[in-house]
Amino acid sequence: MRSVMNVAVIGSGISGAVCAAALAGKGVSVTVFESGRGAGGRMSQRREIVEDGTELLFDHGAPYFTVHDNEVMGLVSSWEAKGLVAEWKENFGCFDRISGKFDDLEKEGSGKKYVGIPGMNSICKGLCLKPGVETKFGVTVGKLEWLESRNLWSLIGLDGQNLGHFDGMVASDKNIASRRFTGQTGRPPPLDMSLAPELAVKLQDVPVRSCFALMLAFSESLSSIPVKGFSFKNSEVLSWAFCDSSKPGRSSVSDSSECWVLHSTAEYAEGVITQTGLQKPSSDTLAKVAEEMFQEFKRTRLHIPKPFFIKAHRWGSAFPATAVAGEEKCLWDRNKRLAICGDFCVSPSIEGAVLSGTRVAERLLESLS
């Protein structure tokens, strides 16, 4: 392996964070570029402050994850030993909107569910703090340039800033070569298709499922609900509901208060986006969505009191509807040491993202040796 190796990772979601930590563990110098304020991606934890100064925390993206692959289980066990992960030992169920009853309690509750401690983003944060990993938050990569004569990648920020030169390049953002990047920023996507045509064409239009998340805080326990997480049957608006407060390591405002997160159906989200567009939703749009989702929650005919906090968030393209990499689990250009990883490469799950990030690290280490 060469004495000086320098790899850039775009995105600090679980696939990028896993890849960065694996590379750093083998002596590679890794710089992670994250456009957001913190690590996590869809595993982010939302922090809200109410009028009286009370802090509320919501896992408004992925509520938990399951593990079936032995390789991933090995990583999860190591995270568990470090206190980054714990099993969420609560009953789950399914609520039929038509009958107004819960069923499939045992079926929905089967299998271990894991959560980050004290938030879902704790895993990504812990991985990005590993020695050898430098993470730069609030930095959006605007352009990737391949310097043929020097066999290096050059990164340019959205503001034109030179972000450095790197031996290898990892992108964990499916919008790196997608027209969605243009729709969100008004700029061409960072990866020019001509640099890696076989990879770029697979990333151009990855089908996605949009979703709205509704964050709710109640001053009393929702005692009429017999489970702490449940799916909705026969609802056009809601798909899932989770009691964040019931997760291990979470602190509540008081012993009787509860924080809940609701997810919309993809169909509901697409209907809103069709009317409002892909740009960042306005406060009026989010307020309307919040009210519609909460009213649907109340129509369960369960006793749902008035929340003291309510806010909606849109996940525009976070949930992939297909896998683009097959058995390879990542997209890889060995000649240019360019890799793409993410759940969209394997399966729309945290486990799929972990597998993809691990595979990219393996490919890069092989090419740099």
Side-chain angles (χ1 to χ4, degrees):
M1 195 176 283
R2 288 181 289 175
S3 58
V4 178
M5 282 168 303
N6 188 4
V7 172
V9 176
I10 301 175
S12 67
I14 190 64
S15 60
V18 163
C19 178
L23 291 172
K26 295 296 184 179
V28 176
S29 176
V30 182
T31 304
V32 178
F33 296 96
E34 169 58 54
S35 60
R37 292 174 292 180
R42 190 156 43 93
M43 293 176 72
S44 296
Q45 187 180 59
R46 184 73 167 257
R47 177 176 178 265
E48 295 286 348
I49 306 294
V50 295
E51 288 183 1
D52 64 0
T54 300
E55 180 184 65
L56 301 173
L57 298 171
F58 299 91
D59 292 330
H60 64 318
Y64 65 88
F65 64 97
T66 58
V67 181
H68 305 283
D69 181 88
N70 289 334
E71 182 181 4
V72 177
M73 192 67 246
L75 280 174
V76 172
S77 296
S78 70
W79 300 340
E80 200 168 10
K82 295 174 183 175
L84 295 174
V85 168
E87 185 183 350
W88 190 10
K89 299 178 181 179
E90 293 286 353
N91 291 327
F92 276 52
C94 175
F95 182 82
D96 190 328
R97 180 72 171 69
I98 294 177
S99 69
K101 296 179 180 180
F102 284 93
D103 54 26
D104 295 332
L105 298 187
E106 293 299 320
K107 181 181 177 182
E108 292 287 344
S110 63
K112 290 186 176 181
K113 298 174 177 63
Y114 294 95
V115 297
I117 301 295
M120 287 298 288
N121 60 352
S122 301
I123 306 167
C124 299
K125 287 168 67 176
L127 294 171
C128 287
L129 288 173
K130 187 162 184 173
V133 179
E134 180 186 7
T135 307
K136 297 186 177 182
F137 296 110
V139 178
T140 300
V141 175
K143 189 174 184 180
L144 308 179
E145 292 183 341
W146 173 245
L147 308 179
E148 188 77 44
S149 61
R150 299 178 61 185
N151 205 28
L152 292 173
W153 284 97
S154 173
L155 265 67
I156 309 297
L158 201 60
D159 58 0
Q161 178 187 1
N162 178 15
L163 300 177
H165 295 155
F166 301 89
D167 298 303
M169 176 62 52
V170 178
S172 61
D173 181 355
K174 58 183 168 293
N175 290 337
I176 196 77
S178 170
R179 286 188 284 261
R180 285 193 197 92
F181 184 89
T182 304
Q184 294 169 359
T185 66
R187 310 263 189 108
L191 179 61
D192 188 324
M193 284 187 64
S194 64
L195 293 177
E198 291 185 8
L199 272 59
V201 71
K202 292 183 179 181
L203 290 171
Q204 268 212 299
D205 292 297
V206 178
V208 296
R209 294 186 181 277
S210 301
C211 172
F212 281 95
L214 180 64
M215 296 165 279
L216 299 168
F218 300 92
S219 58
E220 61 186 274
S221 172
L222 304 193
S223 55
S224 63
I225 300 178
V227 291
K228 297 302 183 183
F230 60 95
S231 61
F232 285 86
K233 185 179 179 181
N234 296 314
S235 173
E236 295 180 357
V237 178
L238 297 178
S239 61
W240 277 95
F242 308 95
C243 178
D244 251 14
S245 306
S246 68
K247 296 177 181 178
R250 268 57 175 181
S251 58
S252 298
V253 179
S254 68
D255 292 339
S256 61
S257 67
E258 284 187 348
C259 289
W260 283 73
V261 174
L262 278 57
H263 283 185
S264 77
T265 62
E267 292 74 19
Y268 172 80
E270 285 303 321
V272 175
I273 291 172
T274 297
Q275 294 178 343
T276 61
L278 273 175
Q279 68 271 19
K280 185 177 179 180
S282 67
S283 57
D284 287 344
T285 295
L286 290 176
K288 181 173 182 289
V289 166
E291 181 61 23
E292 289 176 351
M293 290 178 68
F294 180 63
Q295 289 304 320
E296 179 72 358
F297 194 32
K298 289 184 68 175
R299 290 188 198 105
T300 56
R301 299 193 292 276
L302 301 165
H303 172 62
I304 309 296
K306 184 178 180 179
F308 68 84
F309 177 84
I310 177 169
K311 195 169 192 177
H313 170 83
R314 189 192 74 184
W315 294 101
S317 61
F319 300 87
T322 190
V324 300
E327 293 183 4
E328 284 298 310
K329 296 183 172 60
C330 66
L331 301 179
W332 171 236
D333 185 326
R334 180 180 177 83
N335 293 330
K336 291 187 174 71
R337 297 182 300 281
L338 170 66
I340 314 291
C341 62
D343 56 359
F344 56 92
C345 289
V346 182
S347 63
S349 66
I350 290 174
E351 182 176 47
V354 171
L355 282 169
S356 186
T358 302
R359 185 58 57 86
V360 161
E362 292 171 357
R363 292 286 179 267
L364 271 168
L365 290 169
E366 289 169 3
S367 71
L368 293 169
S369 60

